[in-house]
């Protein structure tokens, strides 16, 4: 598989209710869905031939499973008309467990969606309550079982840890529930509380503490240990796959600087040395497209030094790490020679390893990946 093919991300900016920890852009009124879908199709037209061929489509948000099967099918018909989609694409949809009826899931399979991510977040009712999720554990269990019955053979669960009040035991209990379903993919995100979110405001007002660094480290290491024992590869800081073939082809593009096109409000794109992002507000997005303009809020051109730093940060978040010769060719920088002293020290301390031309984090290194990139 050529990982350098571009990927397509589509942001569906609607949710039935807003989770109090969430910083993604979404609206709780769905009245503008038809206008949005119309604009989305026009935005695709504006990028026709700029990102071909595409090998992954990721429908995220927001809550894409709020759309009707017909609306989702129309989106994919537009994608196929306006882009050159390879014959074996990975097409993923993010979903809320509360939305997944058997008929909806069967129709998703019929329109060509072959990968489903279910936002389960936790199998602990108290945690779900704290996170303000609109689904129950019962719905999560039923969503996974029904997805299997509908024919999804590439199924991912999204989970959150490090929630105030949660201990490692109760988190491991959630993981135990998760592996019972043998999902092909599991993402475990550490809860982060952005300042402007309702939970971020409460935290800053001192209403509850969040786990400190040591406890976060314990969460991370226990997660990795547990899931690796259960047969999963811990291939990126937050991501686990039941075999190499089940790693996310789409997310890999973000980690290795492959091109990607993001459509919809707030979506980001990357190509060559340019990154740009769309207006966050749906109104601004719609107005730009109505006026015949790309809904881009800002574009930045990255210098070679910036690209190199990003590649280092992203590469060190993956188990595969950085292929040093590729890094040298692409970013004109001999990492091994230039940083020999610090790399040797980090290797001696057990944070990284250098083998067969690859520089990669050890398990301990993966836990502090963001600091490693400061070398
Ligand atoms: S459903 Fe997802 S995107 Fe929507 S508010 Fe909750 S976390 Fe955010």
């Amino acid at each position: 598989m050529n990982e350098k093919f571009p990927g397509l991300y589509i942001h569906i900016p609607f949710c039935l209710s807003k989770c109090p920890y969430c910083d993604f852009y979404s609206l709780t009124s769905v009245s503008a869905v038809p206008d949005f879908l119309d604009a989305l199709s026009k935005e695709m037209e504006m990028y026709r031939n700029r990102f071909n061929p595409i090998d992954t489509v990721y429908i995220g948000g927001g809550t894409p499973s709020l759309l009707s099967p017909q609306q989702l099918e129309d989106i994919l018909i537009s994608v196929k008309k306006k882009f050159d989609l390879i014959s074996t694409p990975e097409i993923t949809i993010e979903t809320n467990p509360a939305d997944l009826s058997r008929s909806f899931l069967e129709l998703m399979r019929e329109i060509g969606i072959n990968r489903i991510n279910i936002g389960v977040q936790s199998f602990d009712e108290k945690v779900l309550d704290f996170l303000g999720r609109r689904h129950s554990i019962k719905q999560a269990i039923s969503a996974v079982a029904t997805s299997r019955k509908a024919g999804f053979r590439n199924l991912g669960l999204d989970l959150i840890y490090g929630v105030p009040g949660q201990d490692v035991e109760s988190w491991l209990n959630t993981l135990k529930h998760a592996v019972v379903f043998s999902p092909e993919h599991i993402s475990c995100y550490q809860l982060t509380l952005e300042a402007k979110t309702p939970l971020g405001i409460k935290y800053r007002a001192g209403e509850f503490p969040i786990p400190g660094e040591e406890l976060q480290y314990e969460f991370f290491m226990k997660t990795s240990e547990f899931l690796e024992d259960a047969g999963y590869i811990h291939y990126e800081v937050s991501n686990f796959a039941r075999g190499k073939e089940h790693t996310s082809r789409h997310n890999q593009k973000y980690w290795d600087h492959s091109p990607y096109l993001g459509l919809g409000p707030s979506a980001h794109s990357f190509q060559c040395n340019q990154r740009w992002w769309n207006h966050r507000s749906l109104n601004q997005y719609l107005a730009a497209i109505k006026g015949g303009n790309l809904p881009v809020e800002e574009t930045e051109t990255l210098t070679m030094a910036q690209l190199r730093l990003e590649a280092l940060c992203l590469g060190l978040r993956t188990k595969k790490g950085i292929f040093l010769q590729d890094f040298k060719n692409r970013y004109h920088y001999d990492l091994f020679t230039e940083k020999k002293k610090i790399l040797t020290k980090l290797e001696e301390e057990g944070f990284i390893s250098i083998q067969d031309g690859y520089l990669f984090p050890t398990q301990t290194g993966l836990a502090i990946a963001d600091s490693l990139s400061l070398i």
Side-chain angles (χ1 to χ4, degrees):
M1 183 55 52
N2 184 345
E3 287 172 350
K4 301 300 176 198
F5 281 150
L8 179 65
Y9 172 77
I10 298 173
H11 188 80
I12 307 296
F14 303 99
C15 290
L16 268 194
S17 60
K18 196 77 198 164
C19 307
Y21 61 92
C22 178
D23 192 38
F24 291 123
Y25 179 72
S26 64
L27 302 169
T28 49
S29 159
V30 290
S31 60
V33 167
D35 287 346
F36 164 69
L37 293 177
D38 189 44
L40 181 67
S41 166
K42 293 194 172 102
E43 192 186 9
M44 286 186 206
E45 182 64 36
M46 292 175 185
Y47 283 104
R48 196 189 266 265
N49 296 326
R50 266 186 65 183
F51 282 83
N52 277 336
I54 275 171
D55 73 334
T56 64
V57 180
Y58 192 104
I59 310 176
T63 311
S65 51
L66 270 188
L67 299 186
S68 69
Q70 186 59 55
Q71 287 167 329
L72 287 161
E73 183 175 17
D74 288 347
I75 291 176
L76 286 181
I77 289 171
S78 271
V79 168
K80 286 175 191 155
K81 263 195 207 149
K82 287 154 192 169
F83 298 94
D84 179 8
L85 198 62
I86 68 153
S87 57
T88 52
E90 175 191 271
I91 305 182
T92 307
I93 185 167
E94 267 179 7
T95 61
N96 185 303
D99 302 332
L100 302 183
S101 66
R102 175 85 180 245
S103 61
F104 178 88
L105 288 160
E106 282 173 351
L107 287 163
M108 292 305 93
R109 290 290 298 126
E110 274 172 32
I111 65 174
I113 293 178
N114 51 25
R115 188 166 180 269
I116 185 166
N117 263 355
I118 306 178
V120 167
Q121 316 309 352
S122 180
F123 286 103
D124 181 334
E125 210 71 73
K126 277 199 296 236
V127 172
L128 286 184
D129 272 357
F130 183 86
L131 295 175
R133 300 290 305 185
R134 71 177 162 95
H135 71 274
S136 62
I137 295 178
K138 206 170 153 208
Q139 282 172 314
I141 293 170
S142 155
V144 179
T146 316
S147 299
R148 288 297 195 206
K149 282 184 200 140
F152 279 99
R153 297 285 163 265
N154 197 352
L155 182 153
L157 302 185
D158 287 349
L159 303 171
I160 294 183
Y161 68 91
V163 176
Q166 182 186 43
D167 56 22
V168 174
E169 248 352 271
S170 79
W171 164 241
L172 286 178
N173 209 29
T174 275
L175 288 179
K176 279 177 201 154
H177 274 89
V179 297
V180 165
F181 303 107
S182 295
E184 281 67 34
H185 196 271
I186 301 181
S187 298
C188 300
Y189 297 109
Q190 181 185 320
L191 179 68
T192 47
L193 294 177
E194 300 297 338
K196 286 185 183 157
T197 59
L199 281 183
I201 292 167
K202 285 188 179 174
Y203 163 63
R204 277 161 186 80
E207 289 194 25
F208 51 78
I210 54 170
E213 247 174 52
E214 262 179 45
L215 185 53
Q216 291 292 5
Y217 180 77
E218 200 187 338
F219 271 116
F220 183 90
M221 295 306 269
K222 292 271 189 213
T223 305
S224 187
E225 204 177 290
F226 178 87
L227 289 177
E228 291 218 328
D229 283 351
Y232 288 81
I233 310 168
H234 189 177
Y235 73 100
E236 198 267 348
V237 169
S238 311
N239 289 289
F240 299 80
R242 198 153 58 77
K244 260 191 180 165
E245 68 281 18
H246 294 123
T247 57
S248 164
R249 274 161 60 187
H250 184 81
N251 285 350
Q252 189 59 45
K253 296 179 190 306
Y254 302 138
W255 303 323
D256 69 6
H257 268 166
S258 295
Y260 51 86
L261 172 64
L263 303 175
S266 77
H268 283 55
S269 305
F270 178 79
Q271 192 172 43
C272 300
N273 59 346
Q274 294 219 305
R275 175 167 294 115
W276 63 96
W277 50 95
N278 281 352
H279 296 298
R280 199 171 150 92
S281 128
L282 180 62
N283 283 342
Q284 274 180 288
Y285 170 87
L286 294 177
I289 289 183
K290 199 169 170 207
N293 300 310
L294 283 174
V296 173
E297 181 169 297
E298 215 173 312
T299 301
E300 68 178 2
T301 302
L302 298 157
T303 63
M304 189 56 82
Q306 287 171 315
L307 286 169
R308 186 191 300 152
L309 184 64
E310 274 194 5
L312 186 66
C313 295
L314 296 167
L316 287 176
R317 290 178 62 88
T318 65
K319 186 75 140 252
K320 186 174 85 178
I322 293 165
F323 188 46
L324 292 164
Q325 187 59 46
D326 263 4
F327 193 89
K328 189 173 169 185
N329 297 343
R330 199 165 172 194
Y331 306 106
H332 311 152
Y333 190 82
D334 189 337
L335 198 55
F336 188 64
T337 311
E338 300 285 342
K339 298 281 182 187
K340 194 164 185 180
K341 210 168 148 194
I342 180 85
L343 290 178
T344 308
K345 187 166 178 276
L346 288 170
E347 195 169 24
E348 281 167 7
E349 289 170 351
F351 292 112
I352 58 163
S353 209
I354 301 173
Q355 273 173 41
D356 304 327
Y358 280 88
L359 158 66
F360 55 92
T362 59
Q363 209 56 24
T364 328
L366 210 53
I368 55 148
D370 292 341
S371 320
L372 278 188
S373 61
L374 301 174
I375 58 174

